[in-house]
Amino acid sequence: MWYVSTRGMAPRVNFEGALFSGYAPDGGLFMPEELPQLGRETLCQWSTLSYPSLVKELCALFIGPELIPREDLNDLIHRAFSRFRHKEVVHLSRLRNGLNMLELWHGVTYAFKDLSLCCTAEFLQYFLEKRAKHVTVVVGTSGDTGSAAIESVQGAKNVDIIVLLPKGHCTKIQELQMTTVLKDNVHVFGVEGNSDELDEPIKAVFADVAFVKKHNLMSLNSINWSRVLIQMAHHFFAYFRCVPSLDMHPLPPVEVVVPTGAAGNLAAGCIAQKMGLPIRLVVTVNCNDIIHRTVQRGDFSLSETVKPTLASAMDIQVPYNMERIFWLLSDSDSQGTRALMEQFERTQSVSLPKELQSKLSLAVMSESMSDEAITQTMGRCWEENQYLLCPHSAVAVSYHYQQVDRQQPSPPRCCLAPASAAKFPEAVLAAGLTPETPLEILALEKKETRCTPMRKSDDWTLILRNTIEEIDRQWTGHVLNASD
């Protein structure tokens, strides 16, 4: 399986190349050169598989046995999911009024990112050990990515991780999950800025191709292809658990509601759809609504500011993975995608070509939710089911309740639940409900923390470069000592 850049100006790479690159050298994102098409027979065979088994099948298709033999692949994925709290790894809760919640949050950090990052970390370490190499992972986070990335690689001997978190823009729990990990290979910085602002020094560092190559840098943000690949399994699992029967011709649809910020889960759903999975996608966002405006009227432009909301992990201006969706829906038109994205980078505003916008609105429906809608939805779900939603899940469920109240006929619907309500006690309180906090999360309060400040007046790019160079010096010294 080969991967090409959405902008068409970079050499194609295999899965290992895409895994270690993050962004392609031309600024684009890697996508499979060709998508496997799955017929009825394959879908029927896959329909009884567990979530980990679905991940194994998808990875086998997109990685290839010449890079990771199937037996090794099975072991890596088994190890990746070994610390999940639920025996199914991902669990479907069936609630009142046709509400199906796909709980993606049974990993160590109580968020969906554990699923893709624990697998990605296993793939990384597999290749690094084979090649006797070291990488430094650089991550900017709006909340959950940082803690899940740290969890996936903490203590790994071939990986150091640098995380930039937006001070005061994460919940207290999210911050503690990052700052209480004191392993030598974990370096956490608290930035005086929001999640879009802290992406700037990361982009600046990655734009220096020679520096990236010299220090073996990589990103684990939602742009990494490996994360999108694992997230495709959510859509297959949702479909197979919610479809009434596979005996009908054609196969009946299932509506999958995707709450999103950077659009990684949405890109995964669009790819699954293109492969032949009969899902209808609904994307839901908070009032930072660039994706909603893009779907509705082709308006892919930044708002003046990021508005802080209860669904803080979705307080994002730039949904990077939309580039993958534009490329996919324009029939791999890399020239058109490049022109579109370069204009967006120059002017921070672009109108989609009519044809692309109509394809997008056919592939995806969208809705934007206010904080008021979020708290009302959390309250209603508790009242009807004694089930606590996190604010991000509530963004999806709010759409479901809209449809139920309008008595709209629809196929079975599955809402993706990206995080546990336990991570967002402030939002639970705002909804007039009582937070339920697991003991592991309560224990964070008593732990020692470590976090280096990046102040407004500091040169963030310079601090980042200096940290990377120091990590490299230590690794080189470690290798020399080991060989003496």
Side-chain angles (χ1 to χ4, degrees):
M1 171 71 73
W2 291 100
Y3 293 86
V4 294
S5 168
T6 49
R7 301 194 188 183
M9 304 289 282
R12 66 181 195 165
V13 296
N14 61 13
F15 175 78
E16 184 180 357
L19 172 71
F20 281 93
S21 299
Y23 285 101
D26 61 0
L29 301 176
F30 283 113
M31 282 287 277
E33 194 169 41
E34 286 177 31
L35 289 179
Q37 293 304 298
L38 304 178
R40 167 187 287 274
E41 194 179 329
T42 304
L43 291 173
C44 288
Q45 284 170 358
W46 285 13
S47 66
T48 57
L49 295 180
S50 66
Y51 179 86
S53 297
L54 276 172
V55 171
K56 289 170 190 173
E57 293 301 331
L58 283 162
C59 288
L61 282 179
F62 284 94
I63 296 175
E66 69 290 349
L67 279 182
I68 306 181
R70 185 61 193 255
E71 201 174 316
D72 288 355
L73 181 67
N74 289 350
D75 288 347
L76 293 176
I77 290 164
H78 176 74
R79 195 155 62 230
F81 293 141
S82 62
R83 293 185 63 199
F84 277 67
R85 291 181 306 280
H86 199 288
K87 65 180 189 300
E88 292 178 87
V89 178
V90 165
H91 175 67
L92 183 78
S93 277
R94 298 179 193 273
L95 306 175
R96 288 184 61 189
N97 285 319
L99 177 56
N100 296 305
M101 298 301 301
L102 193 68
E103 297 167 355
L104 304 173
W105 43 260
H106 291 289
V108 172
T109 74
Y110 291 80
F112 80 100
K113 292 171 183 180
D114 289 324
L115 291 161
S116 58
L117 281 166
C118 66
C119 294
T120 300
E122 290 292 341
F123 300 151
L124 274 182
Q125 290 176 73
Y126 180 82
F127 290 122
L128 288 170
E129 282 173 22
K130 261 189 158 178
R131 318 266 184 261
K133 277 174 64 180
H134 172 273
V135 295
T136 298
V137 172
V138 184
V139 172
T141 186
S142 58
D144 288 329
T145 298
S147 53
I150 287 169
E151 169 55 35
S152 68
V153 300
Q154 61 156 312
K157 64 176 189 288
N158 300 62
V159 183
D160 273 76
I161 184 166
I162 299 171
V163 173
L164 273 56
L165 66 88
K167 204 78 176 132
H169 293 271
C170 306
T171 70
K172 191 178 178 192
I173 289 167
Q174 287 173 320
E175 201 166 298
L176 285 170
Q177 284 182 326
M178 293 181 260
T179 57
T180 54
V181 181
L182 306 180
K183 292 280 199 297
D184 289 343
N185 70 326
V186 175
H187 317 268
V188 178
F189 290 86
V191 180
E192 284 184 6
N194 64 37
S195 58
D196 283 321
E197 287 168 338
L198 64 77
D199 276 336
E200 291 307 313
I202 296 174
K203 278 209 107 166
V205 164
F206 277 95
D208 185 341
V209 177
F211 187 82
V212 168
K213 202 168 182 180
K214 181 182 177 187
H215 297 290
N216 279 336
L217 299 187
M218 65 170 292
S219 169
L220 278 183
N221 281 17
S222 65
I223 56 143
N224 194 292
W225 164 251
S226 172
R227 287 184 56 181
V228 178
L229 166 58
I230 305 301
Q231 286 168 175
M232 285 160 57
H234 310 345
H235 297 273
F236 282 90
F237 194 68
Y239 179 78
F240 295 135
R241 286 295 178 275
C242 294
V243 71
S245 164
L246 289 170
D247 296 332
M248 295 154 79
H249 291 265
L251 290 173
V254 167
E255 196 169 82
V256 180
V257 189
V258 184
T260 199
N265 268 339
L266 181 63
C270 289
I271 296 165
Q273 215 178 37
K274 277 275 190 188
M275 288 169 67
L277 188 69
I279 52 174
R280 293 185 191 169
L281 289 165
V282 180
V283 61
T284 55
V285 295
N286 59 23
C287 62
N288 297 294
D289 64 349
I290 180 171
I291 296 176
H292 178 52
R293 286 183 282 112
T294 305
V295 172
Q296 293 299 314
R297 51 181 190 271
D299 171 20
F300 190 60
S301 64
L302 294 195
S303 306
E304 283 181 23
T305 56
V306 175
K307 302 178 193 82
T309 73
L310 290 170
S312 55
M314 293 157 66
D315 292 347
I316 285 174
Q317 284 253 55
V318 186
Y320 297 106
N321 283 293
M322 289 303 289
E323 179 167 345
R324 286 191 158 108
I325 295 168
F326 297 156
W327 182 85
L328 190 69
L329 297 181
S330 63
D331 300 318
S332 321
D333 176 6
S334 51
Q335 201 176 342
T337 305
R338 184 169 74 252
L340 201 67
M341 295 311 297
E342 285 177 353
Q343 186 191 332
F344 177 74
E345 283 161 2
R346 267 195 322 274
T347 64
Q348 305 196 320
S349 175
V350 71
S351 288
L352 296 197
K354 280 276 184 289
E355 191 184 351
L356 178 56
Q357 201 273 321
S358 66
K359 284 182 176 175
L360 178 61
S361 56
L362 275 174
V364 180
M365 292 186 292
S366 71
E367 200 58 71
S368 165
M369 304 300 174
S370 65
D371 269 3
E372 188 185 7
I374 290 171
T375 53
Q376 283 176 354
T377 299
M378 291 168 75
R380 177 170 171 179
C381 188
W382 176 258
E383 204 175 290
E384 292 184 3
N385 304 286
Q386 277 67 62
Y387 186 94
L388 277 180
L389 293 172
C390 94
H392 310 81
S393 309
V395 171
V397 176
S398 186
Y399 169 82
H400 173 75
Y401 285 152
Q402 276 181 10
Q403 301 306 300
V404 168
D405 293 347
R406 289 175 191 159
Q407 299 184 323
Q408 297 278 44
S410 76
R413 183 180 297 119
C414 184
C415 295
L416 301 189
S420 164
K423 290 194 83 164
F424 299 93
E426 300 92 337
V428 174
L429 287 166
L433 302 170
T434 307
E436 296 170 358
T437 309
L439 290 174
E440 303 104 301
I441 288 180
L442 286 173
L444 293 173
E445 299 270 357
K446 298 184 177 65
K447 288 187 173 180
E448 185 188 341
T449 62
R450 187 174 66 201
C451 180
T452 308
M454 274 190 183
R455 297 182 179 87
K456 272 260 189 283
S457 55
D458 293 337
D459 183 334
W460 299 349
T461 305
L462 184 64
I463 292 173
L464 193 51
R465 289 176 74 97
N466 289 345
T467 306
I468 291 161
E469 286 169 343
E470 178 56 30
I471 287 168
D472 217 26
R473 273 194 293 275
Q474 288 183 5
W475 168 255
T476 307
H478 163 76
V479 171
L480 290 173
N481 290 339
S483 58
D484 282 351

